[in-house]
């Protein structure tokens, strides 16, 4: 059975639950709820898996701090022999305005410490990314690191549920397309 890995980035603990930096966790929680999955916790990550198709989709929330996200990703990818091309990382993106959601394959990390650690630990930047725009502070008002560790504003919280559902749909689309590519690749071997 082929494996896909969807990683939601965030920081562990209730203190960070509503932070912009934890949007990856929020989106994976919504996806696991939609798929009726329960999280299986270990000391280093929460994992859920969907086996409703020809391939197994693993959902992963690293439970070490953002800067150490690569440990869990590399461990799970190694265990199931999942190449970077079959990994999707759901992340917060300060270079996009709040609510803008974009897909990307590969490229740099733009200073995102979670992405940097994943690239270092898996040895590749050629994974897929779902970039959720969280905006950035006005110049000179606040450090970006402090900004992403703040909760969404009350205005942002009004549209956040719809944006999370839009992100879930994009993940499901990626799983469908990537799964078809996997099946097609298997046929041509």
């Amino acid at each position: 059975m082929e494996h896909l890995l969807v990683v939601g980035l965030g920081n562990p603990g209730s203190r960070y639950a509503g932070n912009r930096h934890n949007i990856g966790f929020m989106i994976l929680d919504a996806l696991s709820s939609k798929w009726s999955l329960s999280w299986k916790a270990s000391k280093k990550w929460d994992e859920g898996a969907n086996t409703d198709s020809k391939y197994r989709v693993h959902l992963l929330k690293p439970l070490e701090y953002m800067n150490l996200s690569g440990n869990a990703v590399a461990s799970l990818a190694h265990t199931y022999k999942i190449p970077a091309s079959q990994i999707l990382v759901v992340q917060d993106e300060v270079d996009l305005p709040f609510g803008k959601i974009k897909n990307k394959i590969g490229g740099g990390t733009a200073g995102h410490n979670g992405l940097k650690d994943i690239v270092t630990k898996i040895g590749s930047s050629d994974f897929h990314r779902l970039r959720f725009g969280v905006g950035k502070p006005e110049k000179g008002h606040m450090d970006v690191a402090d900004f992403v560790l703040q909760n969404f504003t009350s205005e942002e919280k009004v549209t956040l549920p719809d944006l999370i559902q839009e992100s879930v749909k994009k993940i499901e689309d990626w799983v469908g397309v990537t799964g078809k590519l996997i099946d097609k690749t298997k046929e041509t071997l």
Side-chain angles (χ1 to χ4, degrees):
M1 178 176 281
E2 294 283 347
H3 298 266
L4 302 176
L5 176 57
V6 181
V7 180
L9 294 184
N11 283 311
S14 59
R15 173 181 172 203
Y16 300 102
N19 290 180
R20 290 177 177 90
H21 223 18
N22 273 40
I23 191 64
F25 279 14
M26 293 177 208
I27 292 168
L28 254 60
D29 284 341
L31 179 61
S32 69
S33 178
K34 182 175 181 184
W35 286 359
S36 300
L37 299 177
S38 57
W39 291 105
K40 178 177 82 177
S42 79
K43 289 183 180 180
K44 303 229 178 202
W45 64 73
D46 281 346
E47 176 190 357
N50 181 356
T51 57
D52 289 343
S53 60
K54 295 179 184 176
Y55 45 92
R56 185 174 180 151
V57 181
H58 300 269
L59 305 183
L60 175 70
K61 295 191 306 185
L63 294 182
E64 295 182 288
Y65 288 99
M66 180 73 72
N67 301 2
L68 302 173
S69 297
N71 293 330
V73 176
S75 180
L76 206 63
H78 176 75
T79 298
Y80 295 106
K81 297 177 179 33
I82 304 171
S85 63
Q86 291 171 214
I87 298 173
L88 171 67
V89 176
V90 182
Q91 65 166 98
D92 59 303
E93 179 61 64
V94 296
D95 289 331
L96 293 174
F98 173 76
K100 185 81 170 170
I101 304 165
K102 286 188 149 190
N103 293 322
K104 178 181 178 179
I105 302 172
T109 62
H112 193 293
N113 290 327
L115 293 178
K116 283 181 191 177
D117 196 55
I118 292 170
V119 168
T120 299
K121 299 292 179 12
I122 69 170
S124 175
S125 64
D126 295 332
F127 50 88
H128 297 251
R129 299 145 196 219
L130 181 69
R131 301 163 60 216
F132 188 101
V134 295
K136 63 173 92 174
E138 291 181 38
K139 200 168 192 147
H141 285 270
M142 181 185 298
D143 182 65
V144 171
D146 292 333
F147 177 76
V148 296
L149 291 175
Q150 287 190 338
N151 289 347
F152 288 99
T153 66
S154 55
E155 294 82 20
E156 292 168 336
K157 287 178 185 177
V158 170
T159 57
L160 195 57
D162 290 338
L163 294 168
I164 287 173
Q165 290 309 311
E166 181 182 338
S167 300
V168 164
K169 174 72 172 107
K170 286 183 179 285
I171 294 169
E172 290 177 325
D173 290 346
W174 179 83
V175 166
V177 169
T178 302
K180 288 176 185 146
L181 292 174
I182 289 170
D183 291 342
K184 187 174 182 180
T185 301
K186 286 169 68 175
E187 292 171 5
T188 60
L189 290 176

